[in-house]
Amino acid sequence: MQFNQVLENVTTYEAGKPIELVVREYGVNPNDVIKLASNENPYGTSPKVVEKIQELAKNMFVYPDDSMYELKEALAKKFDVTNKHVIIGSGSDQILEYCVHAKCEKDSKILMAKTTFAMYEIYGKQTGAKIIKTEDDQHNLEQFSKLYKEHGADVIFLCLPNNPLGECLDKDDVYAFLETVDKETLVVVDGAYQEYASFKDEKKRIVAKDLISNFPNAIYLGTFSKAYALGGMRVGYGIAQPEIINTLYKLRAPFNITTLTLAAAIEALKDEEFVNICIAKNFEEMERYEEYAQKRGFEYIPSYTNFITIKFGDKFVSKTVAQKLLEKGVIVRDLTGYGQNAIRITIGRNEQNTKVFEQLDEVLENLK
């Protein structure tokens, strides 16, 4: 059977391994599995959200409000924009898909960092677009500027902070770069981890209203999957000028968000205290990982997210380390597929992290 030829060069995205796989393949007690591979909030969902979902579970037979009015109004209030500036997606990655398909076709150009969220490239290749990457793994705006001057771009992806490495550019530097970008280029600022970056360093904060006011060709993306702990509900959003939002709506299928998902997101926005407590604990625990890496003599990337990337250099092979941890019931993300001899570890709860250090010590000693 013949399929669209552009799909021949598209790789399949590999998500973090689920707990069920570890239990099934390695016989680990499910209560002993520590999943730190998908950057979920280890403190779980706000109890207020859980209570609301339990209350509304009886309504799951009803189609959701396809206007998503209440959630859009809540986001508009949070970001000081109107609901005409907001679009809701099944995770922010669905809106990434809309952006690419709205701007790109065969031979269009997409500019991104060498090592960044894999779906940028996957969505781009689905349209036949040409992918242009910087030489450096981390975001380097000098290289972005050079490549943009040489090749131009229909879409630019800036992941701030960057997944899967964790670094983050300063807002002022980002704005200086955007001043040089043609207004026909769509700039996608992926802020999936912005709550963490803004908490850690005010210089990293991207204010959505300020961004789209200064750069009407930009769209800011956010998600409820990380700090708001709704990864299983699949809900994200985009904030941009109405011209962009209206165009993206032409790609949206009806009822792309569930009734319970809408309720969960609306309730989550009401409990910012819970989010801030989780973020504060995240960075307290991250210091333990930094100390562990320093003790072991491993390089790590200073992170503005809820995960940390630890590099092994020529001391160990990350794929082997990740596999041995998996067999012990500790799920981390091997970054070999990103060209990195490194593992990415979501910052867990205190007791989880203690166990990770113990298991990692044991694995490394056995690999010497």
Side-chain angles (χ1 to χ4, degrees):
M1 183 181 292
Q2 293 291 322
F3 293 100
N4 190 326
Q5 287 188 342
V6 299
L7 297 180
E8 294 177 3
N9 296 319
V10 176
T11 57
T12 302
Y13 180 80
E14 290 189 25
K17 291 181 172 58
I19 291 174
E20 293 80 3
L21 179 146
V22 179
V23 172
R24 185 172 61 248
E25 294 194 2
Y26 303 108
V28 180
N29 186 318
N31 295 323
D32 294 332
V33 176
I34 299 177
K35 185 187 177 189
L36 299 177
S38 299
N39 305 334
E40 296 146 333
N41 186 330
Y43 302 101
T45 308
S46 161
K48 295 179 181 178
V49 175
V50 175
E51 183 179 349
K52 176 60 68 171
I53 294 304
Q54 290 172 337
E55 174 190 332
L56 298 177
K58 62 182 181 294
N59 295 334
M60 67 177 71
F61 73 99
V62 180
Y63 279 117
D65 170 14
D66 198 45
S67 74
M68 302 181 227
Y69 177 82
E70 193 174 352
L71 178 56
K72 287 168 67 176
E73 282 291 306
L75 285 166
K77 182 178 180 180
K78 174 179 173 64
F79 290 102
D80 191 23
V81 294
T82 73
N83 63 16
K84 294 181 179 179
H85 293 89
V86 181
I87 186 170
I88 310 297
S90 179
S92 57
D93 50 331
Q94 186 175 57
I95 303 170
L96 292 173
E97 183 180 16
Y98 296 162
C99 290
V100 172
H101 284 270
K103 281 292 291 183
C104 295
E105 54 190 2
K106 190 176 184 300
D107 298 325
S108 295
K109 298 172 183 176
I110 300 177
L111 176 59
M112 65 185 72
K114 179 181 176 181
T115 302
T116 192
F117 186 42
M119 291 309 301
Y120 303 159
E121 182 171 356
I122 291 173
Y123 287 140
K125 286 185 174 179
Q126 288 174 359
T127 69
K130 179 181 179 182
I131 308 300
I132 302 169
K133 295 183 179 182
T134 61
E135 293 181 7
D136 283 5
D137 291 307
Q138 299 182 38
H139 280 63
N140 182 320
L141 288 178
E142 288 185 7
Q143 292 181 15
F144 267 88
S145 296
K146 178 183 176 183
L147 290 170
Y148 187 70
K149 288 177 183 177
E150 291 176 355
H151 304 283
D154 296 279
V155 177
I156 297 174
F157 281 111
L158 296 173
C159 196
L160 306 173
N162 186 27
N163 178 25
L165 299 182
E167 87 280 0
C168 191
L169 298 169
D170 285 354
K171 182 208 71 171
D172 290 347
D173 294 335
V174 172
Y175 277 25
F177 168 66
L178 295 186
E179 291 285 358
T180 70
V181 174
D182 186 271
K183 301 309 177 188
E184 285 300 312
T185 298
L186 178 62
V187 179
V188 181
V189 175
D190 187 347
Y193 298 90
Q194 258 293 311
E195 288 88 357
Y196 294 96
S198 301
F199 183 95
K200 184 175 182 179
D201 187 346
E202 186 66 27
K203 292 186 296 184
K204 311 296 183 184
R205 183 186 298 274
I206 301 290
V207 178
K209 181 182 180 180
D210 187 43
L211 175 72
I212 68 172
S213 296
N214 284 285
F215 308 102
N217 57 319
I219 180 169
Y220 175 92
L221 303 187
T223 183
F224 287 89
S225 296
K226 307 306 178 185
Y228 287 91
L230 294 179
M233 300 300 278
R234 307 303 301 127
V235 56
Y237 54 89
I239 298 174
Q241 293 296 343
E243 178 189 10
I244 294 175
I245 297 298
N246 293 339
T247 299
L248 298 185
Y249 257 98
K250 296 178 181 181
L251 294 161
R252 188 188 73 91
F255 306 120
N256 63 320
I257 300 298
T258 73
T259 299
L260 296 184
T261 293
L262 284 172
I266 292 164
E267 199 65 27
L269 284 174
K270 298 176 184 177
D271 197 359
E272 293 287 348
E273 181 182 3
F274 171 82
V275 173
N276 290 331
I277 289 172
C278 292
I279 294 174
K281 289 180 178 178
N282 171 78
F283 286 114
E284 288 175 7
E285 290 297 310
M286 186 179 289
E287 290 181 4
R288 299 178 67 197
Y289 279 91
E290 294 171 344
E291 292 169 359
Y292 180 88
Q294 292 166 1
K295 181 183 71 174
R296 277 281 182 175
F298 298 142
E299 181 184 353
Y300 66 90
I301 298 175
S303 176
Y304 294 86
T305 64
N306 67 339
F307 61 82
I308 189 168
T309 297
I310 296 177
K311 299 183 176 183
F312 293 121
D314 57 1
K315 297 177 181 179
F316 298 95
V317 177
S318 64
K319 189 172 185 178
T320 303
V321 174
Q323 178 60 35
K324 294 298 183 183
L325 285 172
L326 190 66
E327 294 168 8
K328 291 177 171 291
V330 177
I331 311 173
V332 299
R333 193 65 179 265
D334 170 41
L335 297 185
T336 299
Y338 285 90
Q340 304 283 314
N341 184 31
I343 57 174
R344 188 192 70 189
I345 308 176
T346 304
I347 308 300
R349 301 188 304 273
N350 180 273
E351 66 275 14
Q352 291 178 314
N353 299 327
T354 297
K355 185 174 179 180
V356 170
F357 299 140
E358 293 171 354
Q359 299 285 34
L360 188 51
D361 276 339
E362 187 175 321
V363 165
L364 296 178
E365 287 304 314
N366 289 337
L367 289 175
K368 279 186 177 179

